[in-house]
Amino acid sequence: MFDVAIIGAGAAGLFCAATATKRGRRVVLLDHAAEPGAKILISGGGRCNFTNLDVRPENFISKNPHFCKSALAGFSQHDFIAMVAARGIAYHEKRLGQLFCDGSAREILAMLMEDCTSAGVEMQLGRRTSDISKADSFRIETDTGMVEASAVVLATGGLSIPKMGATGFAYEMAKKFGLAITETRPGLVPLVFAGEEQTWMQGLSGVSFETVASCGKAAFRENALFTHRGLSGPAVLQVSSYWREGKGIRLDLLPEQNAYEFLLERKAARPRAELKTVLSEILPARLAHALVPLANHVIGDMPNKALKNTAELINNFALHPSGSEGFAKAEVTCGGVDTAGLSSKTMESRAVKGLYVIGEAVDVTGWLGGYNFQWAWSSAWAAGMAI
Ligand SMILES: Cc1cc2nc3c(=O)[nH]c(=O)nc-3n(C[C@H](O)[C@H](O)[C@H](O)COP(=O)(O)OP(=O)(O)OC[C@H]3O[C@@H](n4cnc5c(N)ncnc54)[C@H](O)[C@@H]3O)c2cc1C
């Protein structure tokens, strides 16, 4: 009999277990994987983008955009940075406030594991949880017998990368206990294209460029990359979390510059230059050539209307994704356990006392840039301090 059973030894589960155990709770942490924190290890290209210097509620997507506020304020990026610094883990800001380990993501996992071990968390790995029921206490069925606990924390994450052990367990159990689930979709995922758009992009596979990618009102200035199936890179991953089937996306290939004014200026200055050559001054040459495939135009001979059309392509390039690379390639799952059924202060179910949901399983999805781990730490802390 434990005070708390935490299902899932990922970022959120590990941090919650250490937090609750330090407060004197008897905690068992269960995971079906043989090793904890698999996603921490592969995150940030092996260097773990563990948080961001600038974390705001606006960096998160949720049916209720206010839900994340209390947890993010209760345990902020500065609190996690202080933990990292206190352990002597060296880190650096890569760009846009994103903090990465200088060495390896292993250091973040080691820190969490040391905290769990020194506090006395009972870690049971390689143990799959199949069901949870509640009488006076919670009964957690596993493939090697039953565990009983006064409280349960669902920390099994989302559906992204099933190959790494992702399951919909948190959603199944949440539903069983009467919590609603918002639509789940792959997020931070490469977008794919069909037909002519795909054929066109295939020829550009490997070309990267600076852009402002937008979908509806969401816009991100970052790099993007053509792949053999479509588009990837940070700017596109960011808009993918806002994209829906049937919607278009737009790329500004010359951020913060008016392409028409640029072309007019070049027409005046270099009238004998070919349009392709002029475009290669501002875009990767392969992209410049692909944008005007048939044009052998000399810029000085082109009417301004034609230059305007070319400029429109550059500043406002409309594309129509046919889909995404799906959960197999998605960094996160958008949607999840509906926050309407949870306390924003503790992550406890409003209806079922003692049932908590934390981390990616909750309908709170961060932007690319360390926000998803920050949500894991903040929501884990909120539950760990309340249990
Ligand atoms: C390739 C990649 C790179 C990423 N890089 C970053 C980054 O740099 N920065 C960032 O902020 N975010 C990053 N993310 C997102 C981040 O990893 C997740 O948001 C975060 O790990 C979520 O933490 P979690 O604890 O909620 O879930 P997870 O870390 O997914 O942990 C869930 C745990 O539950 C276990 N589990 C599942 N089902 C069961 C079951 N039935 N019984 C027992 N155990 C179960 C799993 O084995 C797993 O250990 C990345 C994601 C991917 C895929």
Side-chain angles (χ1 to χ4, degrees), residues 179-237:
L179 286 161
I181 310 295
T182 65
E183 184 200 10
T184 53
R185 305 175 51 82
L188 302 180
V189 64
L191 294 173
V192 300
F193 294 79
E196 279 175 16
E197 282 185 335
Q198 190 204 4
T199 315
W200 183 78
M201 284 180 194
Q202 260 171 355
L204 286 167
S205 182
V207 173
S208 73
F209 54 99
E210 175 87 15
T211 188
V212 174
S214 57
C215 183
K217 287 190 185 139
F220 297 88
R221 181 173 180 168
E222 289 250 25
N223 276 336
L225 168 76
F226 289 104
T227 68
H228 63 288
R229 296 189 62 198
L231 278 168
S232 186
V236 173
L237 297 181

Side-chain angles (χ1 to χ4, degrees), residues 42 57 76 127 172 174-177 188 213 283 302 338 350 363:
I42 59 156
S76 73
R127 196 166 180 191
E172 277 167 48
K175 259 191 238 167
K176 176 173 172 178
F177 285 103
L188 302 180
L283 299 172
M302 290 178 72
D338 195 331
R350 292 185 188 284
D363 170 29

Side-chain angles (χ1 to χ4, degrees), residues 6-151:
I6 301 177
I7 325 293
L14 286 164
F15 190 47
C16 185
T19 306
T21 310
K22 282 181 197 166
R23 293 180 51 248
R25 302 292 178 267
R26 235 193 121 212
V27 177
V28 61
L29 178 58
L30 300 157
D31 202 298
H32 62 173
E35 300 292 337
K39 282 192 182 166
I40 297 174
L41 292 180
I42 59 156
S43 67
R47 289 224 161 91
C48 189
N49 178 195
F50 55 82
T51 191
N52 194 293
L53 285 173
D54 187 22
V55 176
R56 300 156 195 252
E58 296 78 45
N59 304 127
F60 297 84
I61 305 167
S62 171
K63 197 172 106 185
N64 176 1
H66 304 291
F67 181 82
C68 61
K69 288 181 180 170
S70 170
L72 292 173
F75 187 86
S76 73
Q77 70 273 33
H78 306 296
D79 296 313
F80 196 78
I81 295 166
M83 264 177 68
V84 168
R87 297 305 169 96
I89 299 175
Y91 64 90
H92 61 278
E93 180 188 352
K94 202 166 172 189
R95 59 193 305 244
L96 303 171
Q98 301 164 4
L99 298 188
F100 287 75
C101 298
D102 287 357
S104 157
R106 288 201 174 276
E107 295 170 86
I108 299 292
L109 180 57
M111 173 181 80
L112 297 168
M113 288 294 285
E114 270 164 38
D115 277 1
C116 284
T117 312
S118 63
V121 173
E122 171 138 353
M123 204 168 300
Q124 299 192 1
L125 301 172
R127 196 166 180 191
R128 188 180 196 91
T129 305
S130 51
D131 198 12
I132 302 172
S133 52
K134 190 182 183 203
D136 287 341
S137 59
F138 288 92
R139 295 162 71 90
I140 298 116
E141 308 286 345
T142 80
D143 49 4
T144 50
M146 213 252 300
V147 174
E148 233 181 312
S150 313

